Amino acid sequence: MSEDDDAPTESSLFEAPPLSEQERMVEAVLFASAEPVGVADLNARLPHGCDAARALEMLRRRYEGRGVRVVRVGEAWAIRTAPDLGFLMQRETVEMRKLSRAAVETLAIIAYHQPVTRAEIEEIRGVSVSRGTIDQLLELEWIRFGRRRMTPGRPVTYVVTQGFLDHFGLESARDLPGLKELRAAGLLDSRPPPGVSEDGEEAEDEGQSDMFEDES
Amino acid sequence: MSEDDDAPTESSLFEAPPLSEQERMVEAVLFASAEPVGVADLNARLPHGCDAARALEMLRRRYEGRGVRVVRVGEAWAIRTAPDLGFLMQRETVEMRKLSRAAVETLAIIAYHQPVTRAEIEEIRGVSVSRGTIDQLLELEWIRFGRRRMTPGRPVTYVVTQGFLDHFGLESARDLPGLKELRAAGLLDSRPPPGVSEDGEEAEDEGQSDMFEDES
Amino acid sequence: MDDAGEIVDSIEARRAAEALIVDVDGFEGPLDLLLSLSRTQKVDLRKISVLQLAEQYLGFVERAKALRIELAADYLVMAAWLAFLKSRLLLPPDPEDEGPTGEDLAAHLAFQLERLQAMRDVAARLMGRDRLGRDVFARGTPTDVTRIRRVTYTATLLDLMQAYARIRTRDDFRPYVMDRDSIYTMEEALDRMRGLIGYAGEWMTLSNWLPEGWETDPARRRSATAANFAASLELVKQGAAEIRQSATFAPIEIRKVAR
């Protein structure tokens, strides 16, 4: 408050505590207070004759470069964590979870048939695809929106992303093995599904590459 | 934790931050918490290779004589205002429920005789301990259940908590006022009434000294 | 000497004695009362005259009775014990008696009083310390440690291809074949246990019966435990085995029926 060194002591009946002591007091009050404390409030709480503003300034300088700082919050003062140490105040736990079966299937269909609409995914899976499944894949950044299909209703299509390719270690979605290769690798029952001829499968494969051509 | 200067950095893939930086980090973490923080907890939160115990010791010395102090509470550390500045904190003072004489005595008996069974508390006070007295102390989190006594009936024992140490400003249960004198005077011995066999009591004594050793 | 009432002669002492009687509810048991009475001796508790104290206590109880004050049972138990102690201290020791001497008993009472007094003293010192929230304060604005819980979903290329293959050849897949992986049926358990029960002469806990590969994974262990338990009951019903459990949630034990 006063810039004059002698004024507070002179005007007081009792001698004010030394400035270093005032600084200790300000430190303790700022530490224990639930709210930032204003200078006037500090002066009211400190013994008569104290100069809270000066003590605060000393304290502020003392904490420069420390793990916590004396900062101004509006008209008041508070002790806060140094901004560069904010990372210590959070603890991150990473939890690995296996993608649900519905999500894996949806993702597979998008990868093999992109660009593909939701209606097409549902037709292939034979069950409806929940909004949440698509959202989850979008959030994982494994799929994104492709061009709208030029059919009635102009439905959105989904395609896989670079992130998808990185995660699954693929150069391009075309590197995904076809049904024949899956079968050769023993990932598929050797019997062809009823009603699907080998020829039909070939055609499908071709159709698939067509789609990828569209994308490129 | 390690007293060896080089070990932490050598064993780490990345170099640990300089000790002054570690001290800042410990400072930030202790300031941020109202509860004491354990050394193991600090080491877990600080970057790999840090030595929280050393940083704590530096920090403790830095705050000697200041408005707040770095205090040890059992196996943990906390920052607390200096006791001589309590008068500034009328606003922060928490209303303390007045403890009954029975509760105060029971607490002292648990602290000085821990781990202690209810029957032993009753033997010392010469009067039965009401359920409410123990409940009140448990609720204040000043006492907790210790290991069961390996005597017939396997009675539960009571011990004091870190919260107790924190509340009464004790570094450990060994710093209880007058503990040494009481022990020297034999007043903490479990002395069975004459005519009662001492076999069972020997084992109890061991358990008790274990308890205080554990604190170190 | 045993007329303790006559000791109280001065007005001050009489007033103090009356205060004791009026405050009888304020005492925390007979030891507390004895401790208060011992204060009138104004000596170190280690040098206290237990005989004198016993007389004071008995006198107190007598006066309380005269004033028709209801004394709690433990005060009367203590009175009876002190009367016994008094006789022990006054009579020459009986060489036939193997029990503790009057001096031993008196010393223990003195120890108890000293210990209680010591506990009261340290309790007062404890309460007088600088206390958190009264003299010493914790951080007023603690910063919460924010816990960021990040969930990462993973799938392998194999998952992806198998999923696709599954869709494209759906009709070839039996729908529950994967799920039955972790199901152990009662029939399987029964078959297995029938073969093994003959060797179970001693009680064996049910968990020891789990087939290999079914002990660790929780889902498989649950299934195998349930199947084994059902199979055990079946064996008991057939008279091939005995089953017991010593308490609720205690391990269930099985052995063959001794023939």
Side-chain angles (χ1 to χ4, degrees):
Chain A
M1 313 252 273
S2 162
E3 287 303 303
D4 187 347
D5 274 14
D6 303 321
T9 23
E10 268 183 81
S11 65
S12 162
L13 191 59
F14 303 99
E15 205 142 334
L19 203 52
S20 66
E21 203 51 27
Q22 297 182 28
E23 189 196 327
R24 285 183 74 226
M25 293 176 180
V26 171
E27 186 177 35
V29 170
L30 289 193
F31 172 83
S33 175
E35 309 267 300
V37 190
V39 175
D41 200 1
L42 277 171
N43 272 322
R45 288 173 79 165
L46 265 49
H48 194 68
C50 285
D51 184 350
R54 276 184 73 194
L56 249 175
E57 185 48 30
M58 282 173 69
L59 191 70
R60 195 185 60 73
R61 255 178 286 147
R62 184 189 286 274
Y63 275 99
E64 263 168 24
R66 303 292 320 158
V68 293
R69 302 185 315 168
V70 176
V71 296
R72 202 189 162 110
V73 183
E75 291 303 299
W77 294 81
I79 299 179
R80 294 275 187 266
T81 310
D84 65 313
L85 298 180
F87 72 94
L88 290 168
M89 302 307 142
Q90 25 181 268
R91 245 184 277 184
E92 197 171 295
T93 49
V94 180
E95 209 176 294
M96 297 287 254
R97 260 188 238 169
K98 237 172 151 40
L99 208 56
S100 71
R101 181 172 158 153
V104 172
E105 286 184 8
T106 304
L107 183 63
I109 292 166
I110 294 170
Y112 276 92
H113 293 268
Q114 64 175 344
V116 64
T117 66
R118 185 179 176 148
E120 288 161 353
I121 297 169
E122 293 184 341
E123 195 188 313
I124 296 168
R125 275 195 75 212
V127 287
S128 66
V129 175
S130 79
R131 179 81 233 158
T133 304
I134 298 278
D135 283 348
Q136 188 184 20
L137 295 172
L138 285 168
E139 206 173 301
L140 283 163
E141 298 190 334
W142 283 348
I143 65 167
R144 62 176 175 82
F145 295 109
R147 277 171 294 181
R148 284 184 182 273
R149 188 62 55 76
M150 287 304 143
T151 52
R154 293 174 45 78
V156 294
T157 62
Y158 298 98
V159 295
V160 293
T161 63
Q162 185 61 43
F164 166 87
L165 298 175
D166 292 345
H167 182 92
F168 292 96
L170 295 165
E171 291 281 319
S172 79
R174 261 174 292 175
D175 293 338
L176 279 169
L179 282 186
K180 241 200 285 188
E181 290 155 292
L182 288 178
R183 182 171 301 146
L187 292 166
L188 214 54
D189 197 279
S190 57
R191 277 172 301 146
V196 177
S197 71
E198 289 291 318
D199 297 338
E201 241 176 272
E202 289 299 332
E204 203 181 294
D205 273 347
E206 263 174 61
Q208 190 177 311
S209 12
D210 274 353
M211 273 187 242
F212 284 107
E213 240 74 75
D214 276 352
E215 247 335 89
S216 59
Chain B
M1 291 298 252
S2 165
E3 288 301 306
D4 186 347
D5 276 12
D6 303 322
T9 22
E10 265 183 84
S11 64
S12 162
L13 189 61
F14 304 98
E15 203 137 334
L19 204 51
S20 64
E21 201 55 26
Q22 297 183 29
E23 191 196 324
R24 284 185 73 225
M25 292 177 183
V26 170
E27 186 177 35
V29 172
L30 289 194
F31 258 95
S33 173
E35 301 290 315
V37 185
V39 176
D41 199 7
L42 277 170
N43 273 322
R45 285 172 71 175
L46 263 50
H48 192 70
C50 285
D51 185 350
R54 275 183 74 195
L56 268 167
E57 191 46 45
M58 286 171 66
L59 194 69
R60 194 183 60 73
R61 256 176 283 146
R62 179 184 293 275
Y63 277 94
E64 265 167 22
R66 300 273 300 276
V68 295
R69 303 185 310 167
V70 176
V71 297
R72 190 182 148 165
V73 183
E75 295 307 302
W77 293 77
I79 298 183
R80 299 284 178 252
T81 60
D84 65 309
L85 300 180
F87 71 95
L88 291 168
M89 251 62 77
Q90 283 113 336
R91 218 174 295 174
E92 281 75 29
T93 303
V94 285
E95 196 63 45
M96 268 179 233
R97 200 160 26 134
K98 189 141 170 53
L99 282 182
S100 68
R101 183 169 143 186
V104 170
E105 281 181 24
T106 302
L107 180 65
I109 291 167
I110 293 170
Y112 285 81
H113 289 264
Q114 64 177 332
V116 66
T117 66
R118 191 192 181 112
E120 288 160 353
I121 298 169
E122 294 182 339
E123 147 84 12
I124 293 170
R125 292 196 66 228
V127 65
S128 65
V129 176
S130 80
R131 181 78 232 159
T133 302
I134 297 277
D135 284 351
Q136 191 183 15
L137 296 174
L138 284 169
E139 200 179 277
L140 283 163
E141 297 189 337
W142 284 350
I143 66 167
R144 63 176 175 82
F145 295 106
R147 272 172 293 184
R148 281 181 185 275
R149 187 64 57 76
M150 288 300 143
T151 50
R154 293 173 45 77
V156 295
T157 62
Y158 298 97
V159 295
V160 291
T161 61
Q162 178 180 285
F164 166 87
L165 297 177
D166 197 14
H167 185 89
F168 292 101
L170 295 161
E171 287 207 355
S172 81
R174 275 169 305 158
D175 298 320
L176 284 164
L179 183 71
K180 263 196 214 108
E181 294 89 317
L182 288 180
R183 189 175 290 158
L187 290 171
L188 300 183
D189 300 347
S190 70
R191 200 184 289 181
V196 173
S197 112
E198 302 209 6
D199 298 340
E201 306 286 329
E202 291 298 332
E204 277 177 36
D205 270 349
E206 267 173 58
Q208 186 174 312
S209 32
D210 271 354
M211 184 67 202
F212 283 98
E213 240 71 76
D214 274 352
E215 288 297 316
S216 61
Chain C
M1 197 171 198
D2 52 1
D3 194 359
E6 293 305 311
I7 294 170
V8 185
D9 41 10
S10 78
I11 294 167
E12 275 307 302
R14 193 169 292 149
R15 200 170 279 160
E18 275 162 14
L20 281 181
I21 290 169
V22 174
D23 282 352
V24 72
D25 286 333
F27 285 104
E28 303 237 342
L31 268 192
D32 185 28
L33 173 56
L34 277 168
L35 207 50
S36 294
L37 291 172
S38 73
R39 257 181 231 123
T40 60
Q41 294 191 20
K42 290 189 178 114
V43 288
D44 188 327
L45 277 172
R46 263 161 289 189
K47 293 174 196 140
I48 200 168
S49 162
V50 170
L51 183 61
Q52 197 186 329
L53 192 61
E55 282 167 353
Q56 280 176 286
Y57 186 94
L58 293 172
F60 171 83
V61 170
E62 281 309 310
R63 284 195 305 280
K65 273 186 188 160
L67 291 168
R68 299 187 184 184
I69 290 172
E70 285 289 326
L71 282 177
D74 46 352
Y75 285 86
L76 299 176
V77 169
M78 178 60 91
W81 188 81
L82 286 174
F84 164 76
L85 173 61
K86 200 175 118 183
S87 68
R88 277 274 165 132
L89 289 172
L90 292 176
L91 296 172
D94 180 357
E96 300 287 295
D97 195 349
E98 289 189 357
T101 66
E103 275 71 29
D104 291 340
L105 295 173
H108 188 70
L109 179 62
F111 167 75
Q112 281 182 294
L113 291 175
E114 196 189 349
R115 182 172 61 182
L116 180 59
Q117 186 58 52
M119 282 301 115
R120 288 189 175 168
D121 294 345
V122 291
R125 281 174 75 179
L126 203 56
M127 291 298 141
R129 287 181 67 87
D130 290 329
R131 288 165 64 178
L132 191 66
R134 190 186 72 182
D135 311 289
V136 164
F137 296 85
R139 182 76 162 123
T141 40
T143 315
D144 285 333
V145 174
T146 44
R147 282 181 192 277
I148 303 169
R149 205 151 140 261
R150 235 186 27 190
V151 180
T152 322
Y153 288 92
T154 58
T156 63
L157 187 57
L158 192 66
D159 293 334
L160 200 67
M161 293 186 305
Q162 283 176 335
Y164 189 64
R166 193 164 58 228
I167 300 159
R168 299 314 306 232
T169 58
R170 190 174 298 118
D171 300 339
D172 286 359
F173 280 79
R174 281 171 297 133
Y176 294 112
V177 88
M178 299 297 281
D179 300 338
R180 292 184 70 85
D181 234 29
S182 302
I183 304 292
Y184 197 71
T185 64
M186 188 194 126
E187 289 72 27
E188 284 170 62
L190 198 55
D191 274 354
R192 191 168 162 278
M193 289 185 85
R194 270 210 191 94
L196 292 174
I197 191 76
Y199 301 102
E202 299 296 331
W203 287 108
M204 259 174 82
T205 60
L206 191 62
S207 55
N208 288 332
W209 286 87
L210 299 190
E212 210 171 307
W214 291 80
E215 304 101 321
T216 43
D217 174 60
R220 285 167 74 88
R221 194 181 58 228
R222 255 197 311 279
S223 172
T225 305
N228 272 358
F229 178 61
S232 306
L233 293 180
E234 187 60 31
L235 288 175
V236 171
K237 195 171 134 199
Q238 292 169 6
E242 293 178 294
I243 193 163
R244 72 172 184 189
Q245 185 179 31
S246 52
T248 314
F249 299 122
I252 295 168
E253 296 176 305
I254 313 152
R255 71 170 178 194
K256 73 168 175 187
V257 171
R259 284 168 209 276

